[in-house]
Amino acid sequence: MDIEVHTRHEAIEIDTANKTVLVADLDHGTTRRHHFDHLLIATGSTPIRPHLPGSDAVNIHDVNSLAGGIALKQALQREKPRSAVIVGGGYIGIEMAEALIMRGLQVHLIQRGDQVMSSLDAEPANLVGSALERHGVNVHLGQTVVGFETINGRAVRVITDQATLAADIFLLGLGVRPNSALAGKAGIPLGAGGAIAINDRQQTKVPTIWAAGDCAESFHLVGRRPVFFALGTIANKQGRVAGINLAGGEARFPGVVGTAITKFMDTEIARTGLSEREIKELNIPFVTGLVEAHTLPRYYPGSAPMTVKVLAEQGPGRLLGAQIVGGAGAGKRIDPLAVALHAGFTLDDLLYLDLGYAPPFSGVWEPFVIAARLALKKS
Amino acid sequence: MDIEVHTRHEAIEIDTANKTVLVADLDHGTTRRHHFDHLLIATGSTPIRPHLPGSDAVNIHDVNSLAGGIALKQALQREKPRSAVIVGGGYIGIEMAEALIMRGLQVHLIQRGDQVMSSLDAEPANLVGSALERHGVNVHLGQTVVGFETINGRAVRVITDQATLAADIFLLGLGVRPNSALAGKAGIPLGAGGAIAINDRQQTKVPTIWAAGDCAESFHLVGRRPVFFALGTIANKQGRVAGINLAGGEARFPGVVGTAITKFMDTEIARTGLSEREIKELNIPFVTGLVEAHTLPRYYPGSAPMTVKVLAEQGPGRLLGAQIVGGAGAGKRIDPLAVALHAGFTLDDLLYLDLGYAPPFSGVWEPFVIAARLALKKS
C-alpha cells in the first residue's frame, strides 16, 4: 500500500458510487479528483461555539484542539489577564479552571445545569463542585449564557439569564460536535449524536468507506446502543481497528463502557458505565451503593477521602456503572470496574475480587466492594 | 447467638465426634471442656524459623505478627543497631529492608534463590533487585544460611554456605506456616501447604467445623487447585464468608487469583495470577508479553518507568497472570488484570478495554494492553 500525504488539502466531496474524492488544494485554490479503493474518514470534531451576541470576540477561546490550546497559552502570556470566565463545567471546563487557578487568575465558572460534571451523578458531582470552590473557583450553577458585551472586538462581560460577570478572558468548554457533514452530504448514514454510523470493524454503511475517531460513533456495551463519545482513547482504538481492516486484516472494536477520568487540583474524578440519568433514559430499574471511604488506610501517610458510587440493575444485579471522586490514587481505581463492566459482572461478582491490598495502596476492602455490598442490600 | 470471649485461653484438643473443645486456662493452669454446635478455627500462621545453630539468639527477629513488629521496633530504639542482615528476599524481607534503610542502617539481604521476590518472574524480580541495590541494600543471592555465630546469646555474624556477614541485628523473612496442628490432631483433613482443607463456604471436611484465615487453604481460580496464601485480604474475605455461614446465612468464597502488592521505596511491585514457575508446575503451554513503559505519558510530570509482563495460555490465549514493577501509580494497575482473571478473559479480551485515560493518569494505551498484544503475536 502506497501512502501519499497531502497537507493543506481538504476533501470537499465524496462520490460513493464512483469511489472518488474531490480534494481542494488550499494553497493554490485548485481541486483534483482522487480515486479510492477504500476511504477512511477521520475528520474529528469541532468545539461547540454558540452563535450568541459577541461570541466571536478575539478573547473568547476554546481549547479542544492543539491550535486552540496554543492560542490560549499565547494569549495568557501576552495579555496577562487577571480574571477569567469559563463557560461549561465539564471535563474541559474544570481542567481549564485548574490551569488558570494555578496561574493565579481569578476564575468564574458558569454551568447551565444544577451541578458541574453533568456526566456524573449529583453526589460525586457536588464533591467536584466543593473542590472547585475550595480552590477559589467561583461556581455559578443554573445560569445560561445569552451573550457577551464587547468593546473593540474584545469581550469584557459575559451576560447570563441572571447576571453579568466581567473578566479579562473567556473560555468555552461546551463539548464538541462530530465533523460528519462531508460524510452526510455523500449519503453515508449518520448515527448517534450526528456521528458517522459504523459497525464493529469501523466500516460505514458504504462497505468501502471507513470512519474512526471523533467523527464516528461508538457502541456502548452497557447501554447496548450507539453513542457519540469524543475521547482520545476511543479514537486511538478505532484508528487501530480501522487501519487493520483497511489493510486487509481482521479486527473488531467491541465497544466502550463509558469510562472517563480527569482531575482538578488534588481531586481525581472518574466514571464508567452509565450514570443515573443515562440509566433512567434506558428505563432500567436500578439500585445504588455510595461509600465515603479513603484511598489508603486512615493511619497511612497520604490517605485521602474517596467517595465511590456503584450502580446496578435491580433484580439481576448487573453492574451498570461506577463513579469515584477522591484524592491521589482514587482515579485509576475505576479501571477494575470498567473491566467488570466489560465482563458483564453482577454485584455478587464484585464481593470477593482478589484485588491488590497492602497499606501503601489501599484498605483491606476496596471501597467499591463495600459500595457493591450496600447496593446488593437494596437489590 | 451468644458470644463469650476468653482471653489467655488456648484450645488444646478438638473432639469432632462429641463436638467439644478442651480449653486450657493459661493463667490458672486448669482445663475445661466446651461443647459447640459449630466451631470456627482461626488459628492463623507462624513465621518459619529454621532450627540452625544460634538461631534462637535474642537479636534475631521475625515480623509476621504485631508482637514481633513491636519487639523489633523496641530493639531498634533501645539498641540503635547500625547494621542489619535480612534473611529472605520476599515481601517481608524487602519491606523490612525499606524500613531499615529509611532508619539509616547498613542493610544486607540474603536470598537462597537466584533472584529476590521468588513469586515474580526473573525480569520483574531483577528490577526489584536493582531498586534494592540502588538504595544501598547489599543483596546476596544464591546463598543459604547455615547458622549464626553468637556471643553471650546475641548473634554477631550470619554464616552462609559461602560467606559470613557481621551485623548488629538480624531479621528473618522466611514466610509462614499455617497453624493447623490442632485441626490435624483432631483428624480434620489438611490440604495445600498443610493448611486446613475447606470448601467454598469455609467448611472443613467435618461439617460443623469451619476454618478461615492463614490456617486455611484457598482455591486458586487460575491454577484450579487449592493453595496456601497467608495474606490479610484473603483472611478478611474468608472470615466474612465463614461468619455469614456460621450464623445461618449463605455465602461463598469463590477463590483467589494470586494477587499481591508491595513496595520498596519508590518502586511499586504487584503480581496476579500464575508466575512462569507456577505455570510450568501445571504443565500449561504459555506465551508472555513484556513491555517497558511509563506510568504516565513521558512529557507529564511524575512519569516513571513501569515494566509490565503478561502471561497467557498458548493457543486459547487465556490470561494466566501479570506482573508490574514501576514508579508511583504502577502497583494498583494490577487490579484490572485481577478482575480480568476472575472473568476468565483471553488476550483478545484485553485489547480494547475501555480504561481511564488522561495524561495525569496514564498513556493512551495502558501498558498491559501493549503487553497483551505482544503475547498475542506469539500465541
Side-chain angles (χ1 to χ4, degrees):
Chain A
M1 190 182 282
D2 292 330
I3 296 177
E4 269 181 73
V5 178
H6 296 260
T7 56
R8 301 284 302 147
H9 285 67
E10 185 182 14
I12 53 176
E13 190 189 290
I14 300 169
D15 182 337
T16 59
N18 294 307
K19 294 191 178 185
T20 61
V21 191
L22 188 64
V23 176
D25 180 329
L26 298 177
D27 284 325
H28 303 96
T30 56
T31 61
R32 204 181 133 192
R33 195 164 285 279
H34 291 273
H35 178 264
F36 62 82
D37 294 322
H38 288 275
L39 178 70
L40 173 68
I41 305 177
T43 43
S45 59
T46 303
I48 293 171
R49 190 145 185 150
H51 294 288
L52 297 173
S55 68
D56 56 353
V58 293
N59 57 337
I60 302 180
H61 296 263
D62 56 58
V63 289
N64 294 66
S65 66
L66 187 59
I70 291 170
L72 172 61
K73 193 170 175 185
Q74 288 172 341
L76 291 171
Q77 286 164 345
R78 193 176 56 236
E79 301 168 10
K80 301 196 174 28
R82 298 200 302 192
S83 60
V85 165
I86 298 168
V87 184
Y91 295 91
I92 297 294
I94 72 159
E95 289 173 11
M96 283 301 98
E98 174 182 281
L100 298 178
I101 284 285
M102 287 179 76
R103 282 171 172 266
L105 277 77
Q106 192 198 357
V107 178
H108 292 269
L109 189 147
I110 300 175
Q111 166 81 332
R112 188 155 53 177
D114 56 1
Q115 63 173 53
V116 295
M117 296 297 293
S118 61
S119 62
L120 298 182
D121 295 342
E123 311 94 327
N126 291 341
L127 291 172
V128 178
S130 301
L132 286 161
E133 299 268 9
R134 197 165 60 242
H135 286 277
V137 178
N138 301 285
V139 180
H140 306 267
L141 298 176
Q143 297 199 22
T144 302
V145 171
V146 296
F148 296 86
E149 195 182 314
T150 59
I151 295 177
N152 298 329
R154 290 183 65 85
V156 292
R157 278 192 189 80
V158 62
I159 306 157
T160 78
D161 53 356
Q162 294 168 47
T164 63
L165 278 169
D168 299 328
I169 197 166
F170 299 83
L171 282 76
L172 304 180
L174 299 171
V176 297
R177 284 203 188 90
N179 293 334
S180 55
L182 179 71
K185 264 198 317 186
I188 298 165
L190 305 184
I196 300 168
I198 42 96
N199 65 16
D200 65 356
R201 302 184 70 219
Q202 298 301 131
Q203 194 172 31
T204 71
K205 306 284 184 191
V206 180
T208 54
I209 301 183
W210 310 73
D214 285 5
C215 64
E217 66 180 17
S218 300
F219 186 75
H220 200 302
L221 292 166
V222 186
R224 291 168 186 161
R225 59 176 181 179
V227 290
F228 169 58
F229 289 161
L231 291 172
T233 174
I234 299 174
N236 268 272
K237 288 168 192 147
Q238 292 191 345
R240 184 171 196 269
V241 169
I244 291 171
N245 288 322
L246 255 169
E250 175 64 36
R252 290 178 190 273
F253 182 47
V256 300
V257 298
T259 310
I261 187 168
T262 188
K263 72 184 264 291
F264 172 75
M265 308 300 280
D266 50 1
T267 299
E268 300 187 358
I269 305 150
R271 55 100 71 208
T272 191
L274 304 172
S275 65
E276 286 203 8
R277 183 178 51 72
E278 291 168 316
I279 296 172
K280 285 170 187 165
E281 278 171 21
L282 293 164
N283 288 314
I284 301 171
F286 69 101
V287 292
T288 66
L290 183 81
V291 161
E292 289 175 16
H294 282 75
T295 53
L296 304 179
R298 287 191 205 197
Y299 62 81
Y300 201 88
S303 177
M306 170 166 76
T307 295
V308 179
K309 181 170 181 175
V310 162
L311 306 103
E313 188 171 355
Q314 187 154 38
R318 176 171 69 107
L319 181 67
L320 295 175
Q323 296 166 38
I324 299 175
V325 175
K332 280 294 260 182
R333 309 281 264 272
I334 206 70
D335 281 354
L337 288 153
V339 176
L341 286 172
H342 277 278
F345 273 13
T346 63
L347 292 172
D348 274 319
D349 294 325
L350 300 181
L351 295 184
Y352 297 103
L353 289 174
D354 191 7
L355 305 166
Y357 160 66
F361 299 97
S362 66
V364 173
W365 294 99
E366 187 66 29
F368 78 71
V369 172
I370 302 171
R373 272 190 221 154
L374 295 179
L376 202 54
K377 282 189 190 163
K378 306 185 210 161
S379 193
Chain B
M1 188 182 286
D2 293 330
I3 296 177
E4 270 181 73
V5 177
H6 296 259
T7 57
R8 300 286 301 149
H9 286 66
E10 187 181 12
I12 53 177
E13 190 189 290
I14 300 169
D15 181 338
T16 58
N18 295 306
K19 293 191 177 184
T20 61
V21 190
L22 189 65
V23 176
D25 181 328
L26 298 178
D27 285 324
H28 302 97
T30 55
T31 60
R32 204 180 133 192
R33 194 165 286 278
H34 291 273
H35 179 264
F36 62 81
D37 294 322
H38 288 275
L39 177 71
L40 174 68
I41 304 176
T43 43
S45 60
T46 302
I48 293 170
R49 191 145 184 152
H51 294 289
L52 297 173
S55 68
D56 55 353
V58 294
N59 58 337
I60 302 179
H61 297 264
D62 56 58
V63 290
N64 293 68
S65 66
L66 187 58
I70 291 169
L72 172 62
K73 194 171 175 184
Q74 287 172 343
L76 291 172
Q77 286 163 346
R78 193 177 55 235
E79 301 168 10
K80 301 197 176 23
R82 298 200 302 192
S83 59
V85 165
I86 298 168
V87 184
Y91 296 92
I92 297 293
I94 71 158
E95 289 172 11
M96 283 302 98
E98 175 182 280
L100 297 178
I101 284 285
M102 288 179 75
R103 281 170 173 267
L105 276 76
Q106 193 198 356
V107 178
H108 291 271
L109 189 147
I110 299 175
Q111 166 81 332
R112 188 156 51 178
D114 56 1
Q115 63 174 52
V116 295
M117 296 297 292
S118 61
S119 62
L120 298 181
D121 295 343
E123 311 93 328
N126 290 341
L127 292 172
V128 179
S130 301
L132 287 161
E133 299 268 9
R134 198 165 59 241
H135 285 277
V137 177
N138 300 286
V139 179
H140 306 268
L141 298 176
Q143 296 199 22
T144 302
V145 171
V146 296
F148 297 87
E149 195 181 315
T150 59
I151 296 177
N152 298 331
R154 292 183 64 85
V156 291
R157 279 194 187 78
V158 64
I159 306 157
T160 78
D161 53 355
Q162 293 170 46
T164 62
L165 277 168
D168 300 326
I169 197 165
F170 299 82
L171 282 76
L172 304 180
L174 298 172
V176 298
R177 283 204 188 89
N179 293 335
S180 55
L182 179 72
K185 266 199 313 187
I188 299 165
L190 305 183
I196 301 168
I198 42 96
N199 65 16
D200 65 355
R201 302 183 70 218
Q202 297 301 130
Q203 195 171 31
T204 71
K205 306 283 183 192
V206 180
T208 54
I209 301 183
W210 311 74
D214 284 6
C215 64
E217 65 180 18
S218 301
F219 186 75
H220 200 303
L221 292 166
V222 185
R224 291 169 185 161
R225 60 175 179 178
V227 289
F228 169 58
F229 288 161
L231 290 172
T233 172
I234 299 174
N236 267 271
K237 287 169 192 147
Q238 291 191 346
R240 185 171 196 268
V241 169
I244 290 171
N245 289 323
L246 256 170
E250 175 63 36
R252 288 178 190 274
F253 182 48
V256 302
V257 298
T259 311
I261 187 168
T262 188
K263 71 184 265 291
F264 171 75
M265 307 300 279
D266 50 0
T267 298
E268 300 186 356
I269 306 149
R271 53 101 71 210
T272 191
L274 304 172
S275 66
E276 286 203 8
R277 183 179 50 71
E278 292 168 314
I279 296 172
K280 286 170 187 165
E281 279 171 21
L282 294 164
N283 287 314
I284 302 171
F286 69 100
V287 292
T288 66
L290 183 80
V291 161
E292 289 175 17
H294 283 75
T295 53
L296 304 180
R298 287 191 205 197
Y299 61 81
Y300 201 88
S303 177
M306 168 166 76
T307 295
V308 179
K309 181 171 181 175
V310 162
L311 305 104
E313 188 171 354
Q314 186 154 38
R318 176 171 70 107
L319 181 66
L320 294 175
Q323 296 166 38
I324 300 175
V325 175
K332 281 293 261 182
R333 309 282 263 273
I334 206 70
D335 280 354
L337 288 153
V339 176
L341 286 172
H342 277 278
F345 273 14
T346 65
L347 292 172
D348 274 320
D349 294 325
L350 300 181
L351 295 184
Y352 297 104
L353 289 174
D354 191 6
L355 305 167
Y357 160 66
F361 299 97
S362 66
V364 173
W365 294 99
E366 188 66 29
F368 78 71
V369 172
I370 302 171
R373 270 190 221 154
L374 296 179
L376 202 54
K377 281 188 189 164
K378 306 184 210 162
S379 195

